[in-house]
Amino acid sequence: MMTGAALVAVSLLAVTGCSSTSEAAGGEEAAGGLQIDVPDVPMQEELGDYEGEVNIVAWSGFVEPAWSDAFTEETGCVVNRRVAGTSDEMVQLMRSGDYDLVSASGDASLRLIAGGDVAPLNLDLIPNFGDDIVEGMKGQVYDTINGKSYGVPIGRGANILQYNSEVVTEEPTSWDVAWEADSPYAGKVIAYDAPIYIADAAVYLMAHEPELGITNPYALDQTQLDAAIELLQQQNEIVSEYWADPAAQITSFVGGTTVLGTSWEVLRKLTEDEKFKSVLPEEGSTGWSDAWMLAAEAENPNCAYAWMDYTSSPEVNGAIAMNFGMAPANAAFCETSDEAKEHCEYYHATDEEYFDKVWFWTTPIEQCVDGRTDVTCTNFQQWTDAWLSVKS
């Protein structure tokens, strides 16, 4: 999710094969996913006795006593939580060998898979991973490799355009007000602070400079990356500040430093002021989709599988989604109450037409995930190095 300077270069990964893209913005066909060489980590064939505990690295709000205590009572597995603030921190912690599970976002998933840090999942051992899991969160390129699933979906959201309607009096239809040098809101624009934000520039370029040939914002050759960085440097001239901390983003809007820029639906809601509105512009956007991933050498794999199944139930998955502020993965939750239905409508939980316009975070790797084989794409380390030049 929120990611800072990368500590691991995915360029170390040798990649081969090809990928098949779908028409949806999200990327790969669910059946195949991405085809690359990754470490051969075995998949657990059957469940054994519960070990008595499970150690989880998670985003704040994903593992709370309200449901972890009930899980412990049901299984005897005590839940030990470590909250992480960035995707990079999650990758580091999972590589320490001290954790069984992680709630990884797409900008961490491929790094963990490529490093052999997580194991493919036996979905037969997760009964709640069934027909009620929304199709748009199954088999995606960021967590499905060589036909094997490495992630159990938790929730998703779009990186939308938020604005102060008392200043921005007409609803924006394009991201141009946040990117172009002549924006009437120059000096009052806020942007996300992370290398993965390069993909937001690429989404804008896909629509406005089609001659660049970008068809997936996470598959950029060097020329395309250079164009994205040039756009980001242009935006830097009109940006009031960058945000990685959601609280700082809210403060910027409420305090008037910012009137327009990148946000999440939950952040707009947390401002508790009707003048703040949001829109998914015509170009589409980037977004994030989180999934439970199992450590390759988990000390407590049976409790970990039990947790993944437990939190995939409509009630618990919905509780996590409501607590964090995102669309749940289990669509059955939306029918459990009027409050659940309202939540699902606000976050577009089952609106695949909405999410078809969203390109979910995917770790950039040298194999072009758009299917090109005649060029080498830029990797996450190159994106990290390039991002540093944007604000220097």
Side-chain angles (χ1 to χ4, degrees), residues 86-301:
T86 69
S87 285
D88 290 335
E89 184 182 1
M90 286 187 169
V91 172
Q92 292 177 60
L93 290 171
M94 286 299 286
R95 287 178 172 163
S96 73
D98 295 333
Y99 299 93
D100 304 301
L101 284 173
V102 62
S103 62
S105 295
D107 58 334
S109 302
L110 281 183
R111 283 186 277 172
L112 291 168
I113 297 170
D117 303 299
V118 292
L121 298 175
N122 187 340
L123 299 180
D124 290 338
L125 304 181
I126 310 173
N128 281 319
F129 188 99
D131 294 339
D132 290 328
I133 301 297
V134 294
E135 287 301 317
M137 294 187 70
K138 292 181 179 179
Q140 293 299 309
V141 63
Y142 43 80
D143 63 13
T144 302
I145 303 298
N146 303 332
K148 298 178 181 179
S149 176
Y150 287 80
V152 173
I154 307 169
R156 59 181 173 174
N159 295 321
I160 46 84
L161 178 62
Q162 180 173 313
Y163 62 98
N164 183 333
S165 63
E166 292 183 353
V167 180
V168 185
T169 54
E170 292 187 16
E171 180 181 83
T173 59
S174 168
W175 281 104
D176 58 2
V177 290
W179 287 102
E180 297 296 343
D182 61 354
S183 169
Y185 312 107
K188 293 283 187 176
V189 175
I190 197 168
Y192 193 57
D193 189 1
I196 204 70
Y197 185 61
I198 292 171
D200 291 66
V203 168
Y204 188 73
L205 291 172
M206 286 170 65
H208 295 274
E209 296 188 29
E211 65 275 11
L212 287 169
I214 301 173
T215 60
N216 184 310
Y218 306 101
L220 305 181
D221 59 37
Q222 190 60 58
T223 298
Q224 294 165 340
L225 177 62
D226 290 344
I229 295 303
E230 182 178 353
L231 178 60
L232 284 158
Q233 289 171 335
Q234 172 180 290
Q235 186 193 46
N236 178 258
E237 298 298 319
I238 65 170
V239 164
S240 55
E241 59 185 288
Y242 293 89
W243 71 276
D245 178 1
Q249 192 265 11
I250 293 172
T251 298
S252 185
F253 268 99
V254 173
T257 302
T258 293
V259 299
L260 176 148
T262 306
S263 185
W264 303 331
E265 292 288 10
V266 65
L267 299 186
R268 178 174 72 86
K269 196 171 189 179
L270 289 172
T271 58
E272 299 181 341
D273 191 325
E274 293 185 357
K275 71 183 178 185
F276 296 112
K277 302 184 183 302
S278 64
V279 63
L280 182 64
E282 59 192 12
E283 296 92 349
S285 76
T286 61
W288 42 270
S289 181
D290 296 329
W292 298 116
M293 304 188 84
L294 176 69
E297 299 183 5
E299 293 185 1
N300 307 291

